[in-house]
Amino acid sequence: MRTRRGLCYPEPVLGSTEMCSSDYGIHKRKKKDMHHHHFNNKESIFVTNKKQKKFKNKASTEEYDFFESLHDDLVISIFTKLSSTSTSPSDFVNVLITCKRLKSLALHSLVLSKASSRMFSVKAKNWCESAHRFLKQCADSGNVDACYTLGMIRFYCLKNRASGASLMAKAAMNSHAPALYSLAVIQFNGSGGTKNDKDLRAGVALCARAAFLGHVDALRELGHCLQDGYGVRQNIVEGRRFLVQANARELAAVLSTPETAAARQWYWSFNPRLGHLGCPLLSDFGCNVPAPEAHPASRFMLEWFSVNGGSPGSGLRLCSHAGCGRPETRNHEFRRCSVCGAVNYCSRACQALDWKFRHKAECAPVDRWLEEEGEEVDGDGDVVMVVDS
C-alpha cells in the first residue's frame, strides 16, 4: 500500500503550519494597514481640498473687482453727471487716465454731448492738436457749447472763417444764445470780409433771437440799436425798455450766485456820481455792477493774443472791453470812441460795459485823433458815441 511518501509528494517542511499562519496574519495585517492607510489618505485629501477651497474663496474675494460688475449704462450715466458739472478739464482728465474701460466709456457720445463749457476750457498756452481733436469730438457729439467754443477759436484765432462760422451756425440752430449773438456781431461788422459785407438787418434779427433767449449782451445791443436807429427803425422808448430788461437779468444772475449777500451789498452801495443809492436795475445809467464772468471762448482768445504778442496782426486791434477778446479781421473794422479815439469796440454792448467799468474814468477829448496813423473820417472805422444810456 502506497503511502504519501515518495517522489510524487514532497516531504513536509518543519514549521510550515506556523509559517502559513504567520503569512496569513501578515497578509491580514497588511490588508488592514492598507485599508487604514487608504482611509487616512482620503481623510487627508478631504482636509486638503477643504483648505484649498477655503483659501481659493478667500483669494477670490480679495481679488474680485466689484467695479467690473457695474453695467456700462450705469457708468455712462455717472460720467454724464460728472461731465455736466465739471468746473475744470482736470475733473475729466483724471477719469481718462485711470484705465482703458473708463476711458472708452468716458468718451461716449452721450457723455461728451452733456459736457459743460468749463470742462473743455483749455488754456491758450496749452493748445495742441489733441485739444483741438477733443473739442471736435465734443462738437461732433452734439455739444452746442463745444460747437460755439471751437467755432470762435477757428474763426478768430486760427483764421479759418468758413469752418468757424459753420460751427457757430450749428450751435445757433440749436438755440445757443451766445452763438446767435456772436453771429450778430459778425453781421454788424462784416467780419471775415469787407465793409460791404455788413448786414445790419441780419445782425438785428440774430440779436433779437438771442435777446428772446435771455442773453444779456444781446438785450443790451438790441436796446442801443433801437435807441440809435442802427439797422432798425428808431424807437427810443422800446430801446430803453430793453436796456432795463438787460440790467434786470444782470441783477438776477449776480444775486443767484453763492455770494448773494456780498453782491446785494455791492449793488446797494453809495454811488458818489449820483449822490444817492443807485438803482440796481439801471447799471447802464451809473449804478455799480460787478463785471460778469467771461465765457471760456472769450478767455481763450484773450490769452491767445496775449501769448502771441498782444496783437491779432499788423494794424489790427482787439476789442477794448476786457471780457470780449474779439479781434479785427481787417483794418479799422471796429468803431472807436467818439471823444478820445483811444479805444475801440466790436459792438455797442461792449462799449456800454467798458464805459461803465473802466473807460468813464479815463476818457478825455483828443484833438484830431481821426487823422492819427493815416486814418480818414470816411474810412472803414466808424465812431461810437459815448453816452451813459
Side-chain angles (χ1 to χ4, degrees):
M1 179 176 178
R2 290 182 178 273
T3 59
R4 292 185 178 183
R5 293 175 183 269
L7 297 174
C8 295
Y9 296 96
E11 293 183 359
V13 181
L14 295 175
S16 60
T17 306
E18 294 176 1
M19 290 178 66
C20 289
S21 62
S22 64
D23 288 343
Y24 176 77
I26 292 170
H27 180 70
K28 190 172 182 181
R29 284 196 305 272
K30 188 175 182 181
K31 187 175 181 181
K32 186 176 181 180
D33 292 338
M34 288 178 65
H35 179 72
H36 182 68
H37 179 68
H38 181 66
F39 177 79
N40 289 340
N41 285 344
K42 287 179 68 177
E43 186 177 4
S44 64
I45 290 171
F46 175 76
V47 172
T48 304
N49 290 340
K50 189 174 181 181
K51 289 181 178 179
Q52 289 179 354
K53 188 175 181 181
K54 185 177 180 181
F55 177 79
K56 186 176 180 181
N57 291 338
K58 185 178 180 181
S60 63
T61 305
E62 292 177 354
E63 297 175 0
Y64 185 74
D65 189 2
F66 290 98
F67 177 74
E68 295 297 333
S69 64
L70 292 177
H71 199 273
D72 288 352
D73 292 342
L74 179 59
V75 180
I76 290 173
S77 176
I78 295 172
F79 286 161
T80 302
K81 184 67 174 177
L82 172 66
S83 66
S84 63
T85 56
S86 295
T87 57
S88 65
S90 60
D91 295 342
F92 196 72
V93 172
N94 291 333
V95 175
L96 298 180
I97 62 178
T98 303
C99 65
K100 290 184 177 179
R101 186 188 179 214
L102 286 183
K103 181 178 180 180
S104 62
L105 294 178
L107 294 177
H108 192 272
S109 59
L110 180 61
V111 178
L112 298 180
S113 66
K114 302 296 183 181
S116 64
S117 58
R118 293 183 177 182
M119 197 193 81
F120 41 77
S121 58
V122 62
K123 293 185 178 296
K125 63 180 180 180
N126 299 329
W127 179 256
C128 57
E129 186 59 34
S130 60
H132 193 170
R133 187 166 54 250
F134 178 72
L135 261 178
K136 180 68 166 59
Q137 189 174 357
C138 292
D140 293 339
S141 300
N143 192 308
V144 290
D145 273 325
C147 289
Y148 170 67
T149 302
L150 185 58
M152 292 285 283
I153 292 173
R154 285 185 176 180
F155 189 89
Y156 289 109
C157 300
L158 305 181
K159 299 181 181 180
N160 190 345
R161 314 293 187 195
S163 176
S166 176
L167 285 169
M168 284 188 279
K170 181 180 177 181
M173 286 188 292
N174 288 278
S175 299
H176 190 260
L180 286 164
Y181 176 68
S182 292
L183 290 175
V185 173
I186 290 174
Q187 295 295 330
F188 282 136
N189 297 322
S191 300
T194 64
K195 184 179 179 180
N196 296 328
D197 293 325
K198 291 182 179 181
D199 192 342
L200 303 185
R201 293 177 64 87
V204 170
L206 290 166
C207 212
R209 177 61 179 166
F212 175 77
L213 295 173
H215 194 268
V216 175
D217 287 341
L219 283 165
R220 185 175 282 111
E221 181 76 17
L222 188 59
H224 286 290
C225 287
L226 286 166
Q227 281 190 333
D228 302 337
Y230 188 75
V232 67
R233 182 180 297 177
Q234 188 176 20
N235 190 333
I236 297 176
V237 176
E238 192 70 13
R240 207 170 188 82
R241 186 179 69 83
F242 274 107
L243 288 176
V244 173
Q245 186 177 354
N247 288 276
R249 287 185 176 273
E250 191 177 46
L251 171 66
V254 174
L255 293 182
S256 63
T257 60
E259 298 83 6
T260 304
R264 187 179 294 112
Q265 184 179 0
W266 176 278
Y267 269 109
W268 293 103
S269 60
F270 182 77
N271 192 318
R273 193 178 71 86
L274 296 178
H276 56 82
L277 290 176
C279 176
L281 298 181
L282 300 175
S283 62
D284 279 303
F285 304 97
C287 182
N288 294 326
V289 178
E293 183 182 1
H295 192 275
S298 298
R299 292 200 301 267
F300 180 90
M301 291 190 296
L302 288 169
E303 294 173 4
W304 177 272
F305 293 114
S306 65
V307 169
N308 291 276
S311 175
S314 178
L316 302 179
R317 302 164 296 190
L318 290 174
C319 179
S320 297
H321 177 43
C324 179
R326 288 182 179 85
E328 290 181 323
T329 59
R330 65 178 186 277
N331 290 336
H332 316 315
E333 177 184 336
F334 292 164
R335 293 177 293 273
R336 280 197 169 190
C337 175
S338 60
V339 178
C340 66
V343 293
N344 47 269
Y345 304 102
C346 66
S347 63
R348 283 167 169 76
C350 283
Q351 180 267 330
L353 287 172
D354 192 60
W355 172 258
K356 177 178 58 178
F357 295 133
R358 178 185 65 88
H359 189 55
K360 183 194 303 184
E362 302 174 356
C363 187
V366 177
D367 295 334
R368 302 176 61 83
W369 62 265
L370 288 174
E371 297 179 2
E372 293 180 0
E373 299 178 359
E375 296 184 12
E376 298 178 357
V377 177
D378 57 348
D380 193 15
D382 298 330
V383 296
V384 57
M385 296 301 295
V386 178
V387 291
D388 287 346
S389 58

